[in-house]
Amino acid sequence: MCRTDRVPTAGILWLALVVIMFVARSIAADHKDLIHDVSYDFHGRRMATCSSDQSVKVWDRSENGEWHCTASWKTHSGSVWRVTWAHPEFGQVLASCSFDRTAAVWEEIVGESNDKQRGLSHWIKRTTLVDSRTSVTDVKFAPKHMGLMLTTCSADGVVRIYEAPDVMNLSQWSLQHEISCKLSCSCISWNPSSSRAHPPMFAVGSDDSNVTYGGKVQIYEYNENTRKYAKAETLMTVTDAVHDIAFAPNLGRSFHVLAIATKDVRIFKLVPMRSDRKESTSTGPTKLEVQIVAQFDNHNSQVWRVSWNITSTLLASSGDDGCVRLWKANYMDNWKCTGILKGDGSPLTSSSGQPTAMSTIVGSSVQTSQNALNGMSAGRYFFPPLDPPRAGTRYGHLLPPSSLIEHCDAEPIQPQQALPYRLSSRALLPLPEAEGQ
Amino acid sequence: MEELDVEPAITNIPAASDGKHLGFAWGPGDILAYETLYMAPGSGCSFIHEVRKDEDIYSPILRKLFNESHHIFVGLQTIREDLPSKNKKTQFVSISKNYRSVIRACMEELQQVAETLHPYMKTSVLVLQVSILLAIELIWNLCEVLFIDAAPAGPLLLHLLDWVRLHKGDVDEKAREVLQSESPAEHHDYWDVVVSYVLQGRFEEARQMLVKQATLQPAARNMYKLMDTLLSKMPFYNPGGTQTLTEFDVKWRHWHEEVDRCLQDNSFASNQHLEIICKILVGDEDTLLEHKELLSTWYHFLVTRLLFCHPTVKPTELHYYAQSCMTMFLDLRSVPEPLDSILLAAFEFDIHQVIKDCSIALNNWWFVAHLTDLLDHCKLLQSHNLHFGSNLREFLLLEYASGLFTHHSLWQLAVDYFDNCPEFGHVYLELQIERVPLDTERKALKVLRICEQRQMSEQVRSICKIMAMRALRNNRLGSALSWSIRAKDAAFATLISERFLQDYCARGTFSDLDLIDNLGPAMLLSDRLTFLVKYREFHKLYEENRFSEAAKLLLSLITAKIAPRSFWMTLLTDALPLLEQKEVSHNLFVFSSDKLIVKRLPFSLFTSLCSQN
């Protein structure tokens, strides 16, 4: 059921815009197996990709917008689930997590000048975080105002928060908190608010599919007095497996917005209860009033990823229908699907390591991509051409999607054996520190 | 009106369509999409597709539109609230015209470019852009007439005529062709041109054309003369004159009756062309509809019909005529285009519907954002509050400016738009500006200045920190130090000062002397930095052979305990040559007579020093 498919009253402006997009270019990532995550750096000039081929690749965008692979290396001994960038205040730092039960921190070191000329960069492992006894399912850096902190969650139901006390020495990470969530964890998200009114807060989701275990999203908040994280809320209405979770940028609001990928897309508003905080300053976690804002089942079945754009005006989700859907709210807080990215059933094929085959693809694709690159997209709007351009038709020409292919020049990684995949819930192990209550 | 926007747009990605998932990552101006599978084994093709929106900003010609409209926008924001409303109206109309002339200029440039291009390109990209701009200008012009200028009955029709004439320029082109031919009166387009002129109320031009025909047919001279008189006598309302609307109406009715009489008399029966013109003058609907080709649009038909039937139409009556003209003009089967609906909504004075339909139809925030802003300044928008407390104007401006921010140079324009969004402009600017890639020091300084001017202290700190970190990673200590001073980051300044001292210990010289020698009070940011500066000062004094001052400074450095422990050895070694100089050592010990430096040093260090000697 989609709550928001009807606009309440006539005459009220409905401002959900159709977001029309086009494929500007396609990049041959040359991973030897499934890509699991792609992550932009803070400024959008670099990206990192990770794959079941156990490697991570770093890509740099050149002046003309093309992507070049500048590093590619084996990071783990299992599928790499996620890769994420630290804020550039801490330098060029990546974290990855894997089925191999570890998370790792990587730092780029400024290489020799001849490396730079060859367009390559060096990443070295600063640390391996081996505390998890099961697959590490998500890794996120905390908001930068908290310092350089890294959070992992794993299938054994534990969230771990690490800190690098000396930002110039990333080989030292201390495990600051170990929080048992009692359920196999699949995803974490930090509340990005840096307002003094909001103590550090994160949400953790569980992909345990047993609905009788109750709410699958837990909100934890830092308590200044106890110096520990304590559970502030469990979203009891979310009983199905949760695969991803994302706090929206705060925009200076008093409340928080949280998107959840479960059997559908849900958007919640978390409103801190002010009065409660006043009478008992920081003896317990802030009480949150949980309101559901929107819920969409357009993906038909499981939703796997949710993520906000910079100003949180758009939410994107990826689901079992094979689509990425974009959601936008109007001023009535009505959310609506405004754009869909969809596979057209004709994936590009690359024969990796064979430059000749690649250049053929490049050659044939340049012509079709020209239109899109020059600025107008397929199926864009269609005013009937008025007077002067009489040659035009009534409708915009449907241009084929472009595919300008960039080849990855970095050394290919040897193909790996087929890997085991993420297992869902596992037996939970007792923990030394159980802060979660 | 039914929702136009029920179906979201689908963008096809060259990837598998079933059984696979599409992963994605948000970028500042695009989305990366890739084939993947969540929670299941399998393989996929490893392509990553960069998906973009707001593609208009990548067109170099449209970039001019953005740049120039930015100036107009900024000017509009400074119009004072307290101006008398009449003056303001004139200003708003002239601003509206400025916006339109920017659109026109852009359109002309696009057309020029289109002419130089290969036909393949012509039909696809540019023609589409030109047609969109034409539509935008057409809508804007109508909004200007109806909402901003808000012309009353009488002048209203004159404005609408201008509007139609401006956007139906092909008559002039055709007329030129006819007049340049050997025998204009026998040209096959001759009568089309005459009728087109009449349909647009351009009687002067029509009469001049008719003269050519009259000279060819001396026998029909009287008939032509009669038509000429009818045309010349048609009254037009003169807004500047003393005539009242009622007087004009009486005069017009007289004329209308005269034309009607001529038609009844069969005065033009022997010339079918003149008869048609006469029927047009009398406002005969069937005749008008027979000239759909020449009218080409329902709104031209509307204005022509008003000209010959209801020249004193009131703004409030427009919607009635507009609706009926549209129905009469369009085939029963043909569905109105979005442009038709937008113009109809304008004639209905439904501003919100116009903005809404334009937003949906255009996939372009430029138009709706600027038009809405102008209409809002004209106090024409009742405030529709958005859920986050902002209004329609701000909502659209925020969207437009956010789009600009994804462009490597247009983002600077966006800053002014955000500045003029009182509710969320500041927060949006904070979120967007920190994402601007700091490719060079110059760009970083530019971004920094914008943040500083707006007291965005956290962004200022963060930018400086990023730059300091980057400089440090590249071993540019001087740059790193000055950035961390700007960031007021004491910890980082300490760290960099330490690096300077280490470098000195390793190499015996200092780098970035200019910076260190000219820090001034900035050196107080951290103890270590103060020490670095003072220690360098000591070296300078020593080099200048001002040994006694050097010795004093060294002594104070040792006694003030701001030297890092690891550096004590170096300080003491530096003291040795001074001690060997007689006069200085004398002075030195005079100054420190009651507190020998060695006393202040740990015993172990003292012994190691002695053993070295």
Side-chain angles (χ1 to χ4, degrees), chain B residues 338-400:
Chain B
L339 178 60
D340 301 325
S341 318
I342 292 167
L343 294 175
L344 188 63
F347 283 120
E348 287 166 346
F349 284 84
D350 190 343
I351 297 182
H352 286 95
Q353 191 69 36
V354 172
I355 295 167
K356 173 191 142 172
D357 286 354
C358 288
S359 312
I360 296 157
L362 287 163
N363 183 31
N364 170 324
W365 297 102
W366 179 88
F367 172 60
V368 277
H370 287 91
L371 182 66
T372 308
D373 174 55
L374 181 57
L375 295 176
D376 190 57
H377 275 89
C378 299
K379 304 261 181 279
L380 287 167
L381 296 171
Q382 72 242 60
S383 76
H384 273 259
N385 279 334
L386 304 186
H387 76 282
F388 42 85
S390 169
N391 62 25
L392 177 61
R393 169 188 170 272
E394 177 157 329
F395 180 95
L396 295 170
L397 286 176
L398 290 173
E399 289 286 350
Y400 173 65

Side-chain angles (χ1 to χ4, degrees), chain A residues 96-236:
Chain A
S96 58
C97 67
S98 162
F99 181 80
D100 72 2
R101 298 184 256 178
T102 67
V105 177
W106 311 87
E107 188 175 22
E108 185 183 35
I109 51 166
V110 180
E112 304 296 313
S113 55
N114 57 348
D115 274 342
K116 262 189 182 166
Q117 278 161 11
R118 280 161 54 212
L120 297 178
S121 66
H122 280 290
W123 289 78
I124 55 170
K125 188 193 272 189
R126 289 303 186 195
T127 193
T128 306
L129 306 169
V130 295
D131 303 276
S132 172
R133 276 164 252 190
T134 55
S135 172
V136 181
T137 50
D138 199 357
V139 63
K140 295 276 165 66
F141 285 100
K144 70 168 191 297
H145 64 267
M146 294 169 60
L148 187 52
M149 294 185 114
L150 189 67
T151 326
T152 63
C153 72
S154 43
D156 59 10
V158 185
V159 171
R160 295 182 176 85
I161 301 177
Y162 299 87
E163 184 174 15
D166 176 4
V167 296
M168 294 314 290
N169 180 6
L170 299 188
S171 53
Q172 281 181 14
W173 290 81
S174 57
L175 179 57
Q176 296 285 323
H177 303 277
E178 217 169 10
I179 301 140
S180 168
C181 300
K182 307 282 193 289
L183 289 169
S184 160
C185 299
S186 55
C187 50
I188 37 175
S189 175
W190 281 94
N191 182 347
S193 172
S194 60
S195 157
R196 278 166 200 273
H198 302 141
M201 175 193 279
F202 68 87
V204 54
S206 166
D207 58 357
D208 194 309
S209 52
N210 190 334
V211 292
T212 58
Y213 287 177
K216 297 301 188 315
V217 174
Q218 300 173 26
I219 315 284
Y220 288 86
E221 194 184 66
Y222 186 67
N223 185 309
E224 285 285 348
N225 287 2
T226 59
R227 299 188 176 191
K228 285 186 175 183
Y229 282 86
K231 198 191 289 180
E233 192 60 58
T234 302
L235 303 191
M236 296 310 292

Side-chain angles (χ1 to χ4, degrees), chain B residues 90-123:
Chain B
T90 338
Q91 289 213 37
F92 289 144
V93 172
S94 101
I95 282 171
S96 175
K97 285 187 173 148
N98 288 344
Y99 276 128
R100 285 201 292 119
S101 72
V102 171
I103 303 174
R104 285 250 147 205
C106 195
M107 217 149 53
E108 275 158 29
E109 195 171 342
L110 276 173
Q111 258 164 330
Q112 274 168 19
V113 173
E115 272 151 32
T116 65
L117 279 180
H118 189 266
Y120 170 74
M121 293 293 296
K122 223 186 237 182
T123 50

Side-chain angles (χ1 to χ4, degrees), chain B residues 197-361:
Chain B
Y197 277 141
V198 173
L199 290 170
Q200 292 191 4
R202 293 164 69 172
F203 295 153
E204 274 307 311
E205 284 115 316
R207 284 167 61 202
Q208 279 169 25
M209 289 297 272
L210 281 174
V211 169
K212 298 195 188 300
Q213 195 67 247
T215 49
L216 276 188
Q217 303 180 30
R221 200 162 168 194
N222 285 340
M223 204 169 27
Y224 278 95
K225 184 114 197 210
L226 178 61
M227 179 52 77
D228 191 62
T229 319
L230 287 181
L231 288 174
S232 65
K233 276 168 72 182
M234 172 161 177
F236 279 88
Y237 181 73
N238 178 10
T242 51
Q243 191 184 37
T244 65
L245 199 62
T246 331
E247 283 164 5
F248 163 74
D249 197 40
V250 171
K251 217 174 153 192
W252 183 82
R253 279 176 201 287
H254 260 289
W255 174 81
H256 195 257
E257 279 161 22
E258 198 182 329
V259 179
D260 203 33
R261 238 183 344 265
C262 292
L263 206 58
Q264 304 305 327
D265 295 352
N266 288 327
S267 304
F268 300 109
S270 60
N271 185 323
Q272 55 149 9
H273 294 297
L274 292 185
E275 174 120 50
I276 286 172
I277 293 176
C278 192
K279 280 184 178 169
I280 291 174
L281 292 184
V282 88
D284 182 71
E285 266 165 18
D286 292 336
T287 315
L288 287 175
L289 285 171
E290 276 160 23
H291 291 88
K292 271 192 190 178
E293 278 290 308
L294 295 179
L295 289 166
S296 78
T297 59
W298 65 269
Y299 43 89
H300 190 343
F301 171 54
L302 165 71
V303 175
T304 305
R305 200 176 147 209
L306 292 174
L307 173 67
F308 297 117
C309 301
H310 313 280
T312 57
V313 64
K314 296 191 191 95
T316 47
E317 297 162 350
L318 268 180
H319 74 274
Y320 162 73
Y321 296 115
Q323 182 68 63
S324 77
C325 284
M326 191 169 117
T327 324
M328 282 160 82
F329 194 85
L330 297 179
D331 289 336
L332 283 175
R333 274 161 299 168
S334 73
V335 186
E337 298 270 349
L339 178 60
D340 301 325
S341 318
I342 292 167
L343 294 175
L344 188 63
F347 283 120
E348 287 166 346
F349 284 84
D350 190 343
I351 297 182
H352 286 95
Q353 191 69 36
V354 172
I355 295 167
K356 173 191 142 172
D357 286 354
C358 288
S359 312
I360 296 157

Side-chain angles (χ1 to χ4, degrees), chain A residues 14 17 22 24-27 29 35 40 89 108 307 318 320 328 331 340 342 344-345 375 380-381 388 394, chain B residues 5 11 13 15 21-22 26 30 36 46 48-50 55 111 337-338 361-362 365 385-387 399 462 473:
Chain A
W14 170 248
L17 290 203
F22 66 107
R25 55 168 60 80
S26 296
I27 306 131
I35 297 174
Y40 259 114
E89 278 185 23
E108 185 183 35
S307 170
S318 167
D320 270 352
K328 189 170 178 62
Y331 71 104
I340 298 173
K342 195 176 182 209
D344 63 1
R380 203 203 136 94
Y381 188 59
R394 248 166 123 69
Chain B
D5 53 340
T11 310
I13 309 292
H21 295 124
L22 206 53
W26 277 111
D30 50 21
T36 187
S46 81
I48 296 165
H49 311 282
E50 194 182 309
E55 67 276 29
Q111 258 164 330
E337 298 270 349
L362 287 163
W365 297 102
N385 279 334
L386 304 186
H387 76 282
E399 289 286 350
S462 186
R473 277 165 33 85

